[in-house]
Amino acid sequence: MSAVNSYTQDRNPNTNTTAAESPAPAPSKQPVPTAKTVDTQSVLRRLQSELMALMMGGDAGISAFPEEDNIFCWKATITGSKDTVFEGTEYKLSLSFPPDYPFKPPKVKFETSCFHPNVDLHGNICLDILQDKWSSAYDVRTILLSIQSLLGEPNTSSPLNTVAASLWENQEEYRKMVEKLYKQSA
């Protein structure tokens, strides 16, 4: 009789099955993890840290500051590097940081007219680190130094401004065009 009692005690009265026969419990209905979201406060801290590093770094020819009270919109300045056709020029840029920065790059545009193979007439910049080669390891300083370097070393094989790209080989004529257009925008 004890064998019968243990048999009946091990049976689930609701399904009339034993523990060994019962189906595995259904997985819990937990939400599927979503793509990494960025906390606004962490973006704010990152941008504040980058601002401090930029101010303390003392890199020649680059500067940037938030625009008024919005840390997500910055105004920047770069000067043309020595011994390039852009020597003596100064350009204003705007940087607009997305809410998921640094996992997405900021939008960067020239506000000052810039005659360059990789800058279109609207100030848009064709630079790989601002697009498909972006890394969260980059910062404002890296971006500005890269743009400053791009001024003297354009990628003429992938131009946004074909007129500038075709004139690039003749540095004397190119310099005249830069001076002419730069003076007009000043």
Side-chain angles (χ1 to χ4, degrees):
M1 184 74 170
S2 65
V4 172
N5 285 341
S6 69
Y7 174 75
T8 55
Q9 287 174 345
D10 291 340
R11 294 193 75 70
N12 183 333
N14 296 328
T15 62
N16 199 27
T17 60
T18 64
E21 296 171 342
S22 58
S28 64
K29 299 278 183 178
Q30 293 182 357
V32 176
T34 57
K36 184 168 186 150
T37 57
V38 180
D39 173 26
T40 303
Q41 289 301 313
S42 65
V43 175
L44 180 64
R45 283 190 301 274
R46 165 82 183 242
L47 290 172
Q48 288 171 333
S49 172
E50 289 188 28
L51 176 60
M52 287 302 293
L54 194 59
M55 289 171 33
M56 303 302 275
D59 291 297
I62 64 168
S63 66
F65 297 96
E67 186 178 304
E68 298 173 15
D69 291 335
N70 187 353
I71 190 110
F72 289 90
C73 294
W74 291 29
K75 292 294 181 193
T77 304
I78 61 171
T79 58
S81 297
K82 188 175 168 92
D83 299 326
T84 71
V85 294
F86 293 96
E87 182 177 358
T89 59
E90 182 177 275
Y91 294 94
K92 304 285 184 210
L93 297 97
S94 63
L95 292 88
S96 178
F97 297 91
D100 49 357
Y101 180 80
F103 300 103
K104 299 281 186 199
K107 302 282 185 231
V108 184
K109 285 182 73 168
F110 275 90
E111 297 298 322
T112 307
S113 180
C114 181
F115 183 70
H116 190 275
N118 304 117
V119 180
D120 71 13
L121 298 176
H122 304 287
N124 298 308
I125 305 165
C126 182
L127 181 60
D128 58 358
I129 70 161
L130 295 176
Q131 297 164 13
D132 59 325
K133 301 288 188 206
W134 175 255
S135 164
S136 59
Y138 295 140
D139 59 10
V140 174
R141 178 183 172 275
T142 306
I143 293 166
L144 296 179
L145 289 173
S146 295
I147 294 170
Q148 187 181 45
S149 176
L150 182 70
L151 285 179
E153 301 172 24
N155 178 359
T156 56
S157 64
S158 178
L160 283 179
N161 183 333
T162 55
V163 173
S166 63
L167 191 57
W168 181 256
E169 294 304 315
N170 185 340
Q171 292 286 284
E172 187 177 320
E173 288 300 312
Y174 194 95
R175 174 72 185 172
K176 288 178 185 174
M177 183 63 87
V178 166
E179 287 174 354
K180 176 183 171 188
L181 295 175
Y182 182 77
K183 286 178 184 172
Q184 286 177 359
S185 69

